[in-house]
Amino acid sequence: MERNIEINSIQDLITALDHFDSDDYYFRGEPSLHYSRIMSSAFRPYPLLFSSSEKKYIDYQEILDNYYLEIAHELLEIERDNFLHYSQHHGLPTPLVDITSNPLTALFFSCSSNFEENKSRVHLFQKNKFIDFSLFPKKEEMNLNNFFLDNEFTLQVFRKISDLSEDIKKQLLYECAQNLNPIKVGGKSLTDTKYIGIDPTPTLGYILKAIFQNETSSADDFYNKFTEIFSEHFDYDFKYNQKREKFRNALFIKEGKCFFELHSDKYSSDKLALIIIFLINEQSKNMVDDFQERVMLPDKYAQLEDSYNVVFPPIVMHPSVKFERMKSQEGTFLFQLAHFNGNTRSYIGFSKIKSDITFIINDKKEIFKALNRIGINQKTIFPDHDNIATYLKVKHLMK
């Protein structure tokens, strides 16, 4: 469960960090309490230039492609290799979310703008929950549409989930299941009792409903109950497939045909990771059902703002080189997944980004001034000529 901690000064933040190892967390500062959820810049609605009320979602991939055409000839090879990260730091919308290993950097970002509000947030994310896709070569395949197919992205997610600790996997299972709870979400396929034991979705719905009708005290408690009932209805296969000349990981309805399989050059066997992959895909199917029910709504912005989101292990995306701003900010990136509407570039929904701890920042104006006094300001966070000039102007105007 997410914890909220009130922070009234820099010293409060330092004291709060004394209770756990800050090296184990990433941080993100946000300058408002009114942001409903953490969202990458690519998936936010933007107000139209000549309209006071209308908003539009940007085709970020088209803008990235055009940006590359304009500037690629001037870039170093290392900048081209890290073009998504490079674009993020130059203000283009991307699926990346800025995070940092430095809590004071995050505090600066939460306090350095939006001064009409005097409260803000710093989000904390446990590093050991992240799966690392920095070296994955086909980033265009990283979306929720392609998930659960026999492709490299799904296989790598399976392997990386397998590498997580048992406790984190159990918590991830629990959160996926809560997001699918048929008592709350009411997905038609999940609650269709006619096909229990025949089709995987209603069979899963039956299992979840049986568990959620009673209180579950913890992720451990849920895991024990879930896996016991799950094994009564589903079976696994981890063996070498002679026909494909690869190892096969598969899920079955008992006495039925395989409905999911992954093929790999290396043997791997992790039942819990395979179940989590299954539950992620069921959430993605629920997202499509949710979208189809909302498709007649006139306000596309509200439609996406309230849409069903998929619980997915957070993805970290380190660049192969740190650009100047990244060094000063101790920054890296979280990658958010989208589900596109068929073959179009319009969105149905996204992977959910949820912090483990939130610092609620009070009196951020005074904290902003205090940060400046200890040398954490626009000049040190953004060490380029334009920002140094802006800092000198702001310093002159600061009361």
Side-chain angles (χ1 to χ4, degrees), residues 83-98:
F83 189 67
L84 196 62
H85 308 86
Y86 183 87
S87 301
Q88 172 81 355
H89 264 299
H90 284 274
L92 253 68
T94 77
L96 301 176
V97 175
D98 291 282

Side-chain angles (χ1 to χ4, degrees), residues 238-286:
F238 301 100
K239 67 181 182 184
Y240 190 73
N241 186 327
Q242 296 286 353
K243 186 175 181 181
R244 291 284 295 266
E245 296 184 343
K246 287 188 175 183
F247 292 98
R248 181 183 191 230
N249 308 315
L251 263 176
F252 299 82
I253 292 278
K254 283 207 168 175
E255 310 301 327
K257 293 182 179 179
C258 166
F259 64 89
F260 171 63
E261 59 183 0
L262 283 172
H263 287 92
S264 169
D265 292 330
K266 297 178 181 178
Y267 177 77
S268 57
S269 171
D270 189 324
K271 291 181 180 181
L272 181 50
L274 203 61
I275 294 171
I276 291 168
I277 294 288
F278 172 39
L279 265 60
I280 289 172
N281 185 62
E282 289 299 318
Q283 291 177 81
S284 197
K285 287 164 63 177
N286 233 38

Side-chain angles (χ1 to χ4, degrees), residues 35-64:
Y35 297 161
S36 59
R37 54 190 178 187
I38 303 169
M39 184 70 69
S40 70
S41 57
F43 307 138
R44 298 173 196 162
Y46 290 88
L48 290 177
L49 193 58
F50 302 113
S51 170
S52 59
S53 58
E54 289 184 87
K55 294 181 179 180
K56 179 181 180 180
Y57 286 93
I58 288 174
D59 184 341
Y60 77 88
Q61 191 60 61
E62 180 181 344
I63 293 177
L64 281 173

Side-chain angles (χ1 to χ4, degrees), residues 89-90 323-326 328-329 377-392:
H89 264 299
H90 284 274
F323 303 115
E324 196 62 37
R325 286 185 186 179
M326 290 185 66
S328 58
Q329 296 170 15
N377 49 50
Q378 192 166 355
K379 181 176 72 171
T380 55
I381 296 291
F382 299 97
D384 59 70
H385 294 181
D386 289 347
N387 277 285
I388 292 170
T390 302
Y391 163 73
L392 292 172

